[in-house]
Amino acid sequence: INEAARRNDVKFVLAATNGVTASIFSDFGPRHEITDATGEPTQTLAVSNLEVIGSKPALLRVAGAEDGSPVVIATTAQAEHGLEDGDVVVLDDMRGGMERLNGMRVTVRRVAITSPTAAKVDTRGVAFRTALGMPTPSVVANFERQYEFYRARFDEDPSNEGRRFPVRTITIFNRLAFVLNDENGRALLDAAGGDGSADVFSGYVSGGLLNQQRPVVVKEYRSLAETLERTAVPQMLRGEDWEDGRGVEVHLSIAAALEFRERKGHWPRLHDDADASDVVEIAGEISSGREGVEGSCRAQTVQYGFPTGDARDLDEGRIARYSRLFATELTGFCAYLGGAAAQEVLKATARFTPIDQWIHHEEACLAADACPSNVGPLFGSRYDHQIAVMGKDFQSRCADQRVFLVGCGALGCEYLKGVALMGVGTGKRGRVVVTDMDRIEVSNLSRQFLFRQDDVGHPKSVRGALVVKRWNPDVNIEALERKVGDDTEDHFDDKFWTGQDLIWNALDNVLARKYTDAKCLFHSKPLLESGTLGTKCNHEVVLPFRTSSYNDGKESDDQENQIAMCTLRSFPYLAKHCIEFAKQAYFADYFEFGPEVYESFRQDPMAFFEQLDTMEPAEQSRSLKMIKSFIDLQEEAGGTIDFDGCVRIAFNRMMQDFRTSILDLCHSADEMEKSSGNPFWTGTKRKPRPVDWTEPTPLLWEYLYATANLYACVWKVEVIRDLEQFQSAVERLNLEQPVWSPGAKVDLSEGDNDDDGASEDDEKLKGELYKVDTSKLQPAQPQEFEKDEDDNFHVDFLTVSTNMRAYNYDIKASARHSVKVTAGRIIPALATTTAMVCGRKLFSFMRVSLAHCSNFSSALTTRIMNSVVGIEFCKLVLGLQSQGSDKFLNSNINLAAGSGNFTTFAPDPPVAIKTGLDSPHPTSFSSWDKIELSCKSKELSVDQLVQYLERSFGVSVDRIFLHGDQDDKAIYNAVDRQKLEWSIDFSEDGKVAVSDGVFTLWPQVRMAVQMLGRLPPTSGQRAIFKSQVEKVKKALDQTKESFMNRLSGPVSLAFREVYRPAEEGDKQTYFDTVFNGKDYVTLGVDCHTDREDEIILPCIKYTFTH
């Protein structure tokens, strides 16, 4: 078949799973063109300058450009362009007479500078990066002076005679040189017209984009027959196996099985020793027959992935096992191969790099012993293949597994499929619990294969469970529609977590992953963690006390460059800048942050002002202004905001954000141009244009519609979805565009110069807000951004806001889906990636199942069950465990980028967290560890707990708080002791004496104290300010009393007092349910030594009796 495919230019993909071995082979023919080798997003670079260097200086390095020749240098707005020599870009958005160059291709090369080694230039330093902002001739001139200085010093030293002057080459990552002497360059110059020289670029003023274009890669692939013989070191999925040459036995096994079928007329039979012996003999013949054939696959020693030519013995045991299990297939391998092979099929379109050409994988630890009573006889069970490989004992334990699957999306569907086919949870003890809050959407159907059109609108977990239940009616499965988090611990309580054998994550957000990982840490449960990112996938096995946990890592997004706020605010030049600003400024301020701080103030002004003092000055100012704006909106609306009010608010926002602020910016720039004499709108700075309501465009109507309805959601007003009804409501209001006049000067600086200090205006705002009667304020509902609800106006608002800003700055408009993807940080899951990573996770599940012994109450005991009984069986199990976690595998795989991106590796050991203590105290611990303090017979008081910790670890305790809590709450805070010395006293003359410490906790009382010192005794306003001070005095007295009561009272009551929500209702009921359902609390401790060294202690599990 392969030869016929090659003759007819047909791509050929082979995937085979035999027992504990899986192989995939790709043959894309003698010549295969790849137009996109990696599938990574191409770069779009903004041009900030184009320069024609008439004569290239010697220090300026450009590959292929001779000294003295002209060179065109493009400076990019991005600090690092990320391109390589020979990459091709397409010019776009060129302006100022260069419009005819748009769409033309040009080859680029990196630009570098020669620098003396002795200069030790810090390329990451501020000075170097600042220098790169200068024109290229100035940059070169600076380096020429540096070079001459160090060269002179070098030449003056007699010891350097005859030695070469040491230099280094520094790549300037924000510069690219255009190649004008190749086919692309000549076509570009022809399109430019003129005399065909590079001078066309000397007239550059502003604008311009460089869109990266992937080069075409041509690869040659060999036939199946040739690669079976001439692949000296076949690739194994696990890197160590590849380097050790373990793929040779797999490769020879495949060749031997093919030859066996030619000779015998059938494939090797299950558990047939005679067939296995024949296959081993044939493999030996094949190997010995290739002696002396260069590049052939034969038994020879391999070092670091390279064959040495020295013959070695075949591992006949592995080949015999391959033959005995040849007829079997395992679910995990099928999923793994299915995903990998399907991705290879997609590569026939010339996108992505095919594998080169074989990849094998072998999981020897899954194979049970050959005891006939364990692996047979087989009676036609749907699990016969699993039993034949891993034994009946494995299947029994598999049936009794209790698995908690968190999430039923792309990954969760595959996991559900896998556990159902394997028979997980089919025993009396066994159970599979799956939970997911989401409902099925049409967009899910392309990659979440359990769902069909009829399932749209229904819960994912329920429909997924129904499907797999039809496949395997014996599966005991429970479907839930509950979020897993700190607000559902009344359902997912300790009994639930301790009752699980394994936790399986299929989540799409970091917070939920961290939460389930934390539960696994606390309850010592194994966790299977995985994720997909386009064609990339990874999985992680978390084993109690043996591996690092998910929380040990640091979640980051290295692919996302930070965009300077000045660029987002005033000088955007890419569509993503408009999207980012719409999300960060418009949506966050108007609908998330604004309503949130407003509600905090409205519900409890005193608590708000206390919290305000803990904020950074810039955040304080932002909060105060937001609250004031929300109060002003109500005053303008006459006290209550209705839908007409929401329309007016939306209109005013539109005028301010997309007209008035634009006119102000242009005016300030014009004034700067007049005063400096230099053009302002150069490089990436685009002169914006305002919107105009006198002739409303559909875009303006779309903005009003989405924004007004979103404000209606905030103010809990009924929305108007009907467009005609909405337009009538707007026309009835007779909205008029305000007349613009020059306003406040706009900050045109290019730094992120947000105010970082408190201002007098902020103090005035505090005073105004302190007088507001919050009981008359209208409640607001903060909008938490949700990308997946199409009827909540969130993505609608972001899309139209993005395109309004794009209109302002003459940037291409963005499609709704593009905005949703960028703003929601969504990378679409590919079905092939999902299947593959799930297959890998099923391997890991098999390992856990084989090693599982009834439950994991405190630590994981890894055991392999087989037919051997007694102590020898126990030795086998303990032996596997004692070999460490390297029997398990983590993986990072990119299906798009070829064989080199299939990597697996052993899990990392637990991260050692240094305590800072000296021996004999523990000097380190891992996140699996905790301090268990049982006080069931008699509770400790908070003071006794403090003394215990200080005595046990030789530390001074600063705070004791809920473990993991990021707020300032604490059941003990050493700073609170100082409050016992604070006082507020009124004198007979009406003045008040206040300890300085009071102002640190209640800064708002300072104004009242000052006014009482200034106002005469007869002033009617004194009563207002005296009342304010008296409130604070009462609060101080209550604080002192509360601290003393808490210090002398039981730890559990102190915990309840501090962390029980203040507002009555559902939150209190929920807290009481969770608190009363546990006989412990988890505590964190901040402490230090006498040397003021910070000490880190593990979580404290404090057990008590209610």
Side-chain angles (χ1 to χ4, degrees), residues 100 188-200:
R100 58 188 178 279
L188 178 68
L189 294 178
D190 288 344
D195 58 1
S197 70
D199 291 341
V200 64

Coordinates of all heavy atoms in Angstrom, one line a residue, residues 100 188-200:
R100 N 2.0 52.5 -2.9 CA 2.2 51.5 -3.9 C 3.0 50.3 -3.5 O 3.1 49.3 -4.2 CB 2.8 52.2 -5.2 CG 4.2 52.8 -4.9 CD 4.6 53.6 -6.2 NE 5.8 54.3 -6.0 CZ 6.0 55.5 -5.4 NH1 4.9 56.1 -4.9 NH2 7.2 56.1 -5.3
L188 N 10.3 44.9 -5.5 CA 9.9 46.0 -4.6 C 10.3 47.3 -5.2 O 9.6 48.3 -5.3 CB 10.5 45.8 -3.2 CG 10.2 46.9 -2.2 CD1 8.7 46.9 -1.9 CD2 11.0 46.7 -0.9
L189 N 11.6 47.4 -5.7 CA 12.1 48.6 -6.3 C 11.4 49.0 -7.6 O 11.2 50.1 -7.9 CB 13.6 48.5 -6.5 CG 14.5 48.4 -5.2 CD1 15.9 48.2 -5.5 CD2 14.2 49.6 -4.3
D190 N 11.1 48.0 -8.4 CA 10.4 48.2 -9.6 C 9.0 48.8 -9.3 O 8.6 49.8 -10.0 CB 10.2 46.9 -10.4 CG 11.5 46.4 -11.0 OD1 12.4 47.2 -11.1 OD2 11.5 45.2 -11.4
A191 N 8.3 48.3 -8.2 CA 7.0 48.9 -7.9 C 7.1 50.3 -7.3 O 6.2 51.1 -7.5 CB 6.4 48.0 -6.8
A192 N 8.3 50.6 -6.7 CA 8.5 51.9 -6.2 C 8.7 53.0 -7.3 O 8.4 54.2 -7.1 CB 9.7 51.9 -5.2
G193 N 9.1 52.5 -8.4 CA 9.4 53.5 -9.5 C 10.6 54.3 -9.3 O 11.5 53.9 -8.6
G194 N 10.8 55.4 -10.0 CA 12.0 56.2 -9.8 C 13.2 55.5 -10.5 O 13.1 54.8 -11.5
D195 N 14.4 55.8 -9.9 CA 15.6 55.3 -10.6 C 16.0 53.9 -10.1 O 17.1 53.4 -10.4 CB 16.7 56.2 -10.3 CG 17.0 56.4 -8.8 OD1 16.2 55.8 -8.0 OD2 17.9 57.2 -8.4
G196 N 15.1 53.2 -9.3 CA 15.3 51.9 -8.9 C 16.3 51.8 -7.7 O 16.8 50.7 -7.3
S197 N 16.6 52.9 -7.0 CA 17.4 52.9 -5.9 C 16.6 52.9 -4.6 O 15.4 53.0 -4.6 CB 18.3 54.2 -5.9 OG 17.5 55.4 -5.6
A198 N 17.3 52.8 -3.5 CA 16.7 52.7 -2.2 C 16.2 54.0 -1.7 O 15.6 54.1 -0.6 CB 17.6 52.1 -1.2
D199 N 16.4 55.1 -2.4 CA 16.0 56.4 -2.0 C 14.5 56.6 -1.8 O 14.1 57.5 -1.1 CB 16.5 57.5 -3.0 CG 18.0 57.6 -3.0 OD1 18.7 57.1 -2.0 OD2 18.6 58.1 -4.0
V200 N 13.7 55.7 -2.3 CA 12.3 55.8 -2.2 C 11.9 55.7 -0.7 O 10.9 56.3 -0.3 CB 11.6 54.6 -2.9 CG1 12.0 53.3 -2.4 CG2 10.1 54.8 -2.9

